[in-house]
Amino acid sequence: MAVRATKLSRDSIVNAALTFLDREGWDALTINALANQLGTKGPSLYNHVHSLDDLRRTVRMRVVGDIIDMLNTVGQGRTRDDAVMVMAGAYRSYAHHHPGRYSAFTRMPLGGDDPEFTEATHRAAAPVISVLESYGLEGDDAFYAALEFWSAMHGFVLLEMTGVMNGIDTDAVFTDMVLRLAAGMERR
């Protein structure tokens, strides 16, 4: 059992959950498992989070924010192929360095009854859309191109993380794929 070093707060619980996710995975995240990691009992966490669903939603929102920040940072001052390559590489790297958080990101619903959540998912596309505008894409064309970009990145990362691509030079294949996507943006 871990020793509780700091006073519990919603923020400290969410931060602990993020660390827990990368070590144990999404399916292992429960109130009791997290409380054990924090050196306390499950009921203590309920003073700061309403439920496991509340904790998971908060974690997802934090991950979305982190990904948006990361993509904005790496894409800043870049355009076209340079920006697409850098953003794609950062996305892939994030998934590999934070597999549990990435799992939380990809499990989130992309719509539904939660307007704040829906807005966050649309904001996640904004950095990519901004880069795609440097190719002259606007409005729905830019949004759909961002969905295509995310689909390609997500599909590649999943295939890579599940071992489907073992024995393949994934760096070379990834670079070629991203350059093909960028060339497609140019032709639109």
Side-chain angles (χ1 to χ4, degrees), residues 79-130:
T79 59
R80 303 175 64 88
D81 295 3
D82 178 42
V84 169
M85 286 299 300
V86 169
M87 291 173 103
Y91 181 90
R92 180 181 178 214
S93 179
Y94 183 91
H96 284 286
H97 286 94
H98 299 291
R101 296 174 201 202
Y102 184 73
S103 179
F105 174 67
T106 60
R107 288 176 186 243
M108 76 170 109
L110 296 177
D113 297 332
D114 186 339
E116 182 184 9
F117 214 53
T118 300
E119 176 60 27
T121 61
H122 286 261
R123 280 195 321 268
V128 176
I129 290 171
S130 177

Side-chain angles (χ1 to χ4, degrees), residues 125-156:
V128 176
I129 290 171
S130 177
V131 166
L132 297 176
E133 288 172 344
S134 69
Y135 289 98
L137 297 172
E138 297 176 346
D140 284 348
D141 287 339
F143 180 74
Y144 294 137
L147 286 177
E148 293 164 12
F149 177 80
W150 181 58
S151 296
M153 297 305 106
H154 179 61
F156 189 93

Side-chain angles (χ1 to χ4, degrees), residues 9-130:
S9 67
R10 185 172 181 88
D11 197 49
S12 69
I13 291 168
V14 170
N15 288 334
L18 291 168
T19 301
F20 181 94
L21 281 176
D22 286 337
R23 191 179 61 251
E24 303 293 332
W26 179 259
D27 293 329
L29 179 61
T30 66
I31 294 294
N32 287 333
L34 185 59
N36 188 47
Q37 174 184 298
L38 290 167
T40 190
K41 301 287 183 200
S44 312
L45 300 188
Y46 289 114
N47 292 323
H48 308 282
V49 295
H50 302 295
S51 63
L52 179 59
D53 286 342
D54 175 40
L55 175 63
R56 287 183 169 190
R57 180 186 182 278
T58 303
V59 163
R60 287 181 186 130
M61 294 291 285
R62 176 80 65 86
V63 169
V64 169
D66 289 348
I67 289 173
I68 292 169
D69 291 346
M70 180 232 357
L71 292 175
N72 278 324
T73 298
V74 301
Q76 188 172 5
R78 299 175 188 266
T79 59
R80 303 175 64 88
D81 295 3
D82 178 42
V84 169
M85 286 299 300
V86 169
M87 291 173 103
Y91 181 90
R92 180 181 178 214
S93 179
Y94 183 91
H96 284 286
H97 286 94
H98 299 291
R101 296 174 201 202
Y102 184 73
S103 179
F105 174 67
T106 60
R107 288 176 186 243
M108 76 170 109
L110 296 177
D113 297 332
D114 186 339
E116 182 184 9
F117 214 53
T118 300
E119 176 60 27
T121 61
H122 286 261
R123 280 195 321 268
V128 176
I129 290 171
S130 177

